[in-house]
């Protein structure tokens, strides 16, 4: 199959490189010339484990290429994937569909022969209908079908998620469109990943319902963690106790500083907007959004309390800035609110993140970025772990104690056993324990 990927970000680039690895002929398009130039030079504009090798393999095999020329890239494609961003719209927080619609317009003018237009971006229910309208208006002669194919990959494990997904969702009812999609995903069916077909609207809503449910799970355990702190229970024990129940499942039951990232915050908001527009309020998700919003700064206040209630003039070492490990993505990372809360209270921040510091510098002012974990610590009054990168899981606590001005450790990801840390003479603050 000849495939064109419009948008070469986290989703477009990973999907494109994986499809090429399965043998399809793929061109990844982006309107960001810098990105395309980097990719052509064999450089990867984002950090995603394994992606450099996968892209290199596709380029040398000759079936993965990069282009800034959208029209030329989609002309002969069997399927054109729209994988552009759908961020929260400034003002009302609904999904900003301007990139999707702009891409659809450009695609419409360039396609020839029967082409499947695949919405891979996360888009509100009904967007497929609008994309179909746009294409028909722009090119009344075009032979095409619009299909929804939401993406469920996780940054940090994106390649494995794409190649061995729990399921693939395809939404649409045009038989020719569905036939092309079955062929596109046939290599995954061989790997026994279920490929489920449904209505286009069902597929669009499935993506939002899935993310809202996961965000709810995280928020649920975070509130249980708050209760654990009040009643003297350990949230990790409780999470294990409930997670072993198959009806509940153990994943997404890790208490922490609140969810962030490029998807959950914007997708929960967009779902609420869709719900309002359709007069079907989603009260649970409303509560999830509200609770999570206030949690991030609350974690900053937790650090302030661990330092005796006043951080003015103090220096705080922060480890981990990205919203989760193994990505350089800073979008809506809880670290932003935690650090800003500490800065608002008068603290100075010294921080380190293995991959996120370049992105962090764009959103966090007045932070001293350090070259490794230990160099954040000299003259710092406390160490705060915000993101659980592997490199922070087995710190040399003796050395840490020697470097810090006072032995205060705040572990917002619960990665250390309390006993071990206290044996080393630290005052230890965790979440829900
Ligand atoms: N990042 C994730 O983990 C993830 C997971 C599942 C779904 N999604 C969804 O996938 C979509 C893309 O997310 P992302 O994280 O890959 O975004 P991203 O910002 O990393 O990439 C989007 C890319 O599209 C390009 N672009 C925008 N308009 C274009 C146009 N008209 N022509 C060509 N290129 C254009 C941008 O330059 C950018 O490089 C979003 O809807 C998101 O919600 C993301």
């Amino acid at each position: 199959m000849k495939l064109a990927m419009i948008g070469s970000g986290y989703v477009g680039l990973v999907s494109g490189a994986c499809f090429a690895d399965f043998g399809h002929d793929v061109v990844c398009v982006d309107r960001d010339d810098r990105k395309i130039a980097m990719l052509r030079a064999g450089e990867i504009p984002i950090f995603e484990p394994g992606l450099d090798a996968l892209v290199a393999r596709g380029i040398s095999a000759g079936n993965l290429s990069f282009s800034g020329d959208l029209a030329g890239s989609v002309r002969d494609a069997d399927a054109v994937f729209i994988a552009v961003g759908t961020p929260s719209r400034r003002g009302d927080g609904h999904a900003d569909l301007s990139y999707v619609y702009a891409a659809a317009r450009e695609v419409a003018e360039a396609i020839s022969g029967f082409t499947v237009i695949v919405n891979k971006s996360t888009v509100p229910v009904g967007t497929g209908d609008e994309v179909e309208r746009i294409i028909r208006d722009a090119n009344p002669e075009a032979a095409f079908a619009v299909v929804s194919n939401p993406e469920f990959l996780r940054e940090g494990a994106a390649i494995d998620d794409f190649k061995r997904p729990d399921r693939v969702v395809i939404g649409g009812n045009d038989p020719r469109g569905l036939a092309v999609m079955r062929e596109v995903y046939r290599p995954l069916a061989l790997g026994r990943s279920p490929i489920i077909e449904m209505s286009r609207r069902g597929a669009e809503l499935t993506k939002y319902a899935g993310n809202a449910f996961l965000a709810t799970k995280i928020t649920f355990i975070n509130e249980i963690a708050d209760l654990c702190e009040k009643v003297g229970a350990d949230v990790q024990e409780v999470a294990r106790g409930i997670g072993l129940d198959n009806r509940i499942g153990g994943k997404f039951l890790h208490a922490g500083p609140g969810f962030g990232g490029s998807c959950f915050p914007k997708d929960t908001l967009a779902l609420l907007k869709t719900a309002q527009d359709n007069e079907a309020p989603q009260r649970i998700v409303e509560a999830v959004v509200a609770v999570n919003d206030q949690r991030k700064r609350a974690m900053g206040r937790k650090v302030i309390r661990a330092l005796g209630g006043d951080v003015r003039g103090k220096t705080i070492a922060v480890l981990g800035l990205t919203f989760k490990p193994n990505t350089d993505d800073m979008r809506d990372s809880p670290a932003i609110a935690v650090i800003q809360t500490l800065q608002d209270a008068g603290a100075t921040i010294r921080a380190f993140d293995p991959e996120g510091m370049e992105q962090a510098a764009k959103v966090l002012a007045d932070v001293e970025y350090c070259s490794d974990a230990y160099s954040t610590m000299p003259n710092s009054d406390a160490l705060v772990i915000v993101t659980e990168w592997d490199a922070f899981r087995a710190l040399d606590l003796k050395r840490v104690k020697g470097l810090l001005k006072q032995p205060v450790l705040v572990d917002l990801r619960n990665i250390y056993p309390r006993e071990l840390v206290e044996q080393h003479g630290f005052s230890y603050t965790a979440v829900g324990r």
Side-chain angles (χ1 to χ4, degrees):
M1 295 258 118
K2 280 176 98 63
L3 311 179
M5 205 50 75
I6 310 304
S8 304
Y10 288 88
V11 167
L13 188 55
V14 170
S15 312
C18 288
F19 277 139
D21 212 36
F22 285 135
H24 296 310
D25 203 343
V26 182
V27 52
C28 291
V29 179
D30 207 286
R31 57 170 191 179
D32 181 343
D33 296 336
R34 196 188 57 96
K35 256 185 202 178
I36 294 300
M38 282 180 80
L39 287 162
R40 282 184 163 162
E43 293 166 41
I44 309 295
I46 54 170
F47 175 75
E48 178 60 44
L51 190 56
D52 44 0
L54 192 69
V55 167
R57 196 152 74 217
I59 294 173
S60 68
N63 62 341
L64 176 64
S65 61
F66 305 97
S67 175
D69 170 21
L70 185 145
S73 303
V74 308
R75 195 166 297 123
D76 301 321
D78 298 299
V80 178
F81 287 77
I82 298 181
V84 300
T86 48
S88 283
R89 186 164 64 191
R90 219 176 276 175
D92 70 352
H94 206 351
D96 179 351
L97 295 173
S98 57
Y99 304 100
V100 171
Y101 294 154
R105 247 171 253 121
E106 279 187 78
V107 169
E109 284 159 12
I111 51 177
S112 68
F114 179 74
T115 312
V116 184
I117 316 296
V118 189
N119 267 336
K120 194 166 244 332
S121 297
T122 302
V123 291
V125 177
T127 304
D129 303 1
E130 188 58 28
V131 166
E132 193 171 302
R133 218 169 289 133
I134 287 172
I135 296 174
R136 206 179 299 117
D137 284 353
N139 184 352
E141 307 299 315
F144 69 98
V146 176
V147 167
S148 165
N149 170 220
E151 182 50 57
F152 298 97
L153 63 77
R154 293 163 299 170
E155 287 174 21
I159 294 169
D160 205 50
D161 281 353
F162 193 88
K163 289 189 161 184
R164 276 170 286 278
D166 290 341
R167 79 309 203 183
V168 172
V169 170
I170 296 173
N173 56 11
D174 181 296
R176 281 196 299 174
L178 291 176
V180 169
M181 293 305 285
R182 285 178 205 134
E183 190 57 25
V184 167
Y185 277 105
R186 198 165 48 84
L188 289 184
L190 295 174
R192 295 173 191 247
S193 290
I195 298 183
I196 56 175
E197 295 178 6
M198 59 176 75
S199 72
R200 198 162 64 196
R201 288 180 164 236
E204 289 168 338
L205 188 53
T206 296
K207 175 66 192 175
Y208 283 101
N211 273 358
F213 192 86
L214 294 173
T216 302
K217 236 181 145 181
I218 294 174
T219 307
F220 175 83
I221 202 67
N222 282 341
E223 286 202 307
I224 293 291
D226 293 345
L227 183 56
C228 285
E229 289 180 11
K230 294 282 157 72
V231 300
D234 180 334
V235 72
Q236 286 179 312
E237 292 176 359
V238 176
R240 187 166 151 75
I242 62 173
L244 286 170
D245 184 329
N246 285 332
R247 293 169 303 176
I248 296 173
K251 292 183 180 162
F252 279 73
L253 286 180
H254 300 286
F259 61 78
S262 64
C263 293
F264 288 0
K266 78 172 176 67
D267 292 348
T268 45
L269 279 185
L271 177 62
L272 292 182
K273 291 293 166 193
T274 303
Q276 282 167 13
D277 289 348
N278 288 280
E279 291 174 15
Q282 303 293 304
R283 297 285 185 236
I284 294 172
V285 183
E286 281 173 19
V288 165
V289 169
V291 168
N292 194 66
D293 269 353
Q294 68 83 34
R295 185 169 190 83
K296 298 179 189 177
R297 279 186 78 89
M299 290 298 116
R301 295 196 294 276
K302 191 184 196 48
V303 176
I304 295 172
R305 276 199 305 279
L307 273 161
D310 185 11
V311 294
R312 188 157 301 281
K314 292 191 173 151
T315 300
I316 298 172
V318 173
L319 295 185
L321 297 169
T322 51
F323 80 97
K324 65 172 174 183
N326 297 320
T327 181
D328 59 347
D329 203 333
M330 280 297 296
R331 287 179 277 187
D332 271 314
S333 173
I336 300 170
V338 171
I339 287 176
Q340 286 171 340
T341 305
L342 296 172
Q343 289 177 325
D344 290 347
T348 300
I349 305 296
R350 292 168 61 81
F352 171 72
D353 186 281
E355 295 291 340
M357 293 196 288
E358 197 182 319
Q359 296 302 322
K362 296 178 187 167
V363 282
L364 282 166
D366 300 323
V367 170
E368 211 177 309
Y369 293 99
C370 300
S371 55
D372 64 47
Y374 293 102
S375 55
T376 60
M377 298 170 197
N379 292 320
S380 289
D381 295 273
L383 176 65
V384 182
I385 298 172
V386 184
T387 312
E388 70 280 28
W389 286 86
D390 280 348
F392 308 148
R393 286 174 183 268
L395 293 170
D396 176 349
L397 292 176
K398 218 184 214 170
R399 185 172 167 204
V400 174
K401 192 172 176 222
L403 290 170
L404 290 174
K405 254 205 291 204
Q406 40 181 357
V408 175
L409 174 58
V410 182
D411 176 4
L412 297 180
R413 297 290 182 169
N414 287 340
I415 58 178
Y416 281 91
R418 174 179 291 282
E419 265 181 28
L420 175 82
V421 181
E422 289 182 344
Q423 270 164 18
H424 280 81
F426 282 85
S427 119
Y428 179 68
T429 305
V431 177
R433 293 155 63 215

